Amino acid sequence: MQTYPFYSSGCLTVRFVGELDHAAAAGAMRAVTAAAEEFLPRRCVLDLSGLSFMDSSGVAVILRAKRMLSATGAELMVSSPPEQARRVLELAGLSELLIDTERKEVNSR
Amino acid sequence: MKAENYIKLEFPARAVNEGFARAAVAAFVSQLDPTLTELGDLKTAVSEAVTNAVVHAYPDSLGVIQLRARILPGGELELVIKDKGVGIGDVERARTPLYTTGGEERSGMGFTIMEGFTDKLRVRSAPGRGTTVTMRRRLTGRG
């Protein structure tokens, strides 16, 4: 899996591309941690649009990132999950972390 | 129940094989012409079961994971993921959402996801003898 951090005016976006499973989770967490330490963002968005697969290991990465960022007062949101990752997020009770445009789509189902 | 088709696989409990197990099941199940949602659900359920075995079953050695997929009459898929590892002392507790012994790297949602994405989930385990996870899901397919 690849990670692509992008920082602009207080918001850190980290785009995940590939399969976010147990084998990839530690690397993904390291990438988010390194980018957060470098940019000290007020807000972080994990862009899941490039994920071809995600399971509960991805849920753990999102929850860890959220805890890490909240320690510095930053918030974490999740955007654009493909359907498979969206179903995992919903089952894990993380729909509330989806940014607004995504949440509307979820609620309309 | 007589299977209409099946596969049996065996591989060492390495993380790199999680993706292999998902891909193998996806390729096998394609003959049932599943929807993308069904395919995603099955890959996720397999990934959770295999990851559990990789993470928990063999803390001190590199053990073996067996995976069996069977197509049953009526378009039902049965998945069996079996290890001969340390086993689970309290299966009921292990199945509780958010419960994990894996530390902060694990979400504790594995069994919850397996249960949510299949029709039936059975977990048989004995400490010191291993764990067998059996899941069934009826596929409606695209036809």
Side-chain angles (χ1 to χ4, degrees), chain B residues 9 14 31 44 55 57 59 65 76 78 91 103 108-109 131 143:
Chain B
L9 300 170
R14 292 186 191 279
Q31 62 196 283
T44 314
V55 172
I65 298 171
E76 191 177 23
E78 181 184 75
V91 170
M109 294 303 288
T131 301

Side-chain angles (χ1 to χ4, degrees), chain A residues 19 21-26 52-57 59-61 63-64 67 83-84 87-88 91-93, chain B residues 15-16 18-19 22 37 40-41 43-44 47-48 51 54-55 104-107 109-110 112-113 116-117 137:
Chain A
E19 298 196 316
D21 63 359
H22 163 244
S52 51
F53 180 81
M54 187 188 91
D55 63 14
S56 73
S57 301
V59 169
V61 168
L63 291 173
R64 281 181 76 189
R67 268 199 303 276
E83 187 194 339
Q84 185 270 334
R87 283 172 64 76
V88 171
L91 203 54
Chain B
V16 70
E18 295 155 7
R22 291 194 295 273
T37 303
D41 286 1
K43 284 172 70 178
T44 314
S47 194
E48 298 297 349
T51 300
V54 169
V55 172
E104 65 169 2
E105 287 183 10
R106 310 301 313 153
S107 66
M109 294 303 288
T112 304
I113 286 171
F117 285 179
R137 168 84 181 246

Side-chain angles (χ1 to χ4, degrees), chain B residues 42-61:
Chain B
L42 291 168
K43 284 172 70 178
T44 314
V46 168
S47 194
E48 298 297 349
V50 171
T51 300
N52 267 355
V54 169
V55 172
H56 299 289
Y58 303 105
D60 304 316
S61 61

